[in-house]
Amino acid sequence: MDSWDEKLAPEIKKLSDADREKVAAYLMRVKMGEVFGGGGIPTGMTIGQAIEAQSKWENEQAAKRAEEEALKKKLEQERAAALEQLNKAVTVTLLAKRELPKNYNIGRYSEYQEFRIGAQNNTERPIVGVSGEIKFIDVFDKEIGAVNFRISESIEPGKTVVWTGGRDYNQFIDSHRAVWNLEDGKYTTKFVPEMIVFSDGEKLAVPE
């Protein structure tokens, strides 16, 4: 390295901009690698070899990114297809939400958010389980909270069941507070399915 400014720099200046960038990138990459136990620049390495090594490394990285992008796209397509299939199998909607105050007489020791959710079986097979979440969207089209649910009742083909459940209200959780304060007519909801279980044991699920 003591002789780089004297011997190496003048030769690098003769290169094209593209090759000069490759040499600089190679030197930086290899020297940084030394910090993590790399072997450093091989003895006798020429500028041409450095350019070739950097080009090979860049090509390998580009191929790796292409593979990762292809896998990501494939997984996204599989997830979208699964969501579409699940949404066709059941229709789920929020029927009502209520904000219930504390009531020590009936054992309710904190404020409670109650939700009534309807689920309709659009398939030709009985369903014994539906899980997912209802997302709450305000008038500005912003998602401000969600509630998870699991319906474990039998739903015959073409039939509907109503699930009632909820959660203890925590005023220190922003999403709880936002959903609690939503006024009727000033929000919409979106069903995001997770899994459907048929009576024969088959399951439709959204990939992770």
Side-chain angles (χ1 to χ4, degrees):
M1 290 184 66
D2 293 338
S3 64
W4 279 13
D5 289 342
E6 177 185 349
K7 297 180 179 180
L8 188 62
E11 297 302 320
I12 291 178
K13 288 181 180 179
K14 299 176 184 178
L15 300 174
S16 66
D17 289 344
D19 284 346
R20 191 158 52 242
E21 289 178 1
K22 287 186 184 297
V23 172
Y26 172 81
L27 294 173
M28 180 178 294
R29 178 169 61 84
V30 174
K31 295 306 292 182
M32 286 294 293
E34 287 183 1
V35 178
F36 301 99
I41 300 172
T43 302
M45 170 70 75
T46 67
I47 290 177
Q49 289 171 333
I51 293 172
E52 183 178 349
Q54 182 63 22
S55 296
K56 180 181 178 181
W57 182 85
E58 290 177 357
N59 290 336
E60 289 173 348
Q61 294 303 304
K64 182 180 178 181
R65 287 193 298 270
E67 290 177 359
E68 292 173 348
E69 188 61 32
L71 177 59
K72 179 181 177 182
K73 185 176 181 180
K74 178 176 179 290
L75 294 175
E76 288 175 348
Q77 290 174 340
E78 290 177 352
R79 181 177 176 83
L83 281 170
E84 182 179 4
Q85 188 177 14
L86 284 162
N87 276 310
K88 285 181 178 179
V90 293
T91 299
V92 175
T93 186
L94 178 73
L95 301 175
K97 78 177 184 74
R98 290 199 302 167
E99 291 72 46
L100 304 176
K102 298 176 183 178
N103 188 331
Y104 297 108
N105 293 328
I106 62 173
R108 189 164 63 234
Y109 301 106
S110 65
E111 295 174 307
Y112 188 78
Q113 293 183 316
E114 181 183 89
F115 306 94
R116 294 180 67 240
I117 295 172
Q120 177 177 293
N121 181 355
N122 299 327
T123 74
E124 298 179 353
R125 293 185 290 166
I127 289 174
V128 295
V130 179
S131 66
E133 66 177 356
I134 296 290
K135 293 182 180 292
F136 291 85
I137 302 164
D138 66 14
V139 293
F140 302 104
D141 293 328
K142 179 182 178 182
E143 180 188 326
I144 52 87
V147 58
N148 296 304
F149 68 91
R150 290 176 178 267
I151 300 173
S152 56
E153 299 179 41
S154 179
I155 313 174
E156 295 299 317
K159 300 299 182 179
T160 301
V161 300
V162 176
W163 175 88
T164 300
R167 61 193 180 192
D168 291 331
Y169 172 60
N170 187 332
Q171 63 177 321
F172 301 107
I173 299 177
D174 291 342
S175 59
H176 279 213
R177 190 168 62 251
V179 171
W180 181 279
N181 292 325
L182 284 174
E183 298 179 21
D184 289 342
K186 293 187 178 180
Y187 66 90
T188 57
T189 60
K190 178 184 178 182
F191 167 54
V192 180
E194 179 185 84
M195 181 180 292
I196 294 174
V197 183
F198 293 97
S199 60
D200 60 7
E202 182 185 353
K203 298 177 182 179
L204 295 179
V206 179
E208 294 292 335

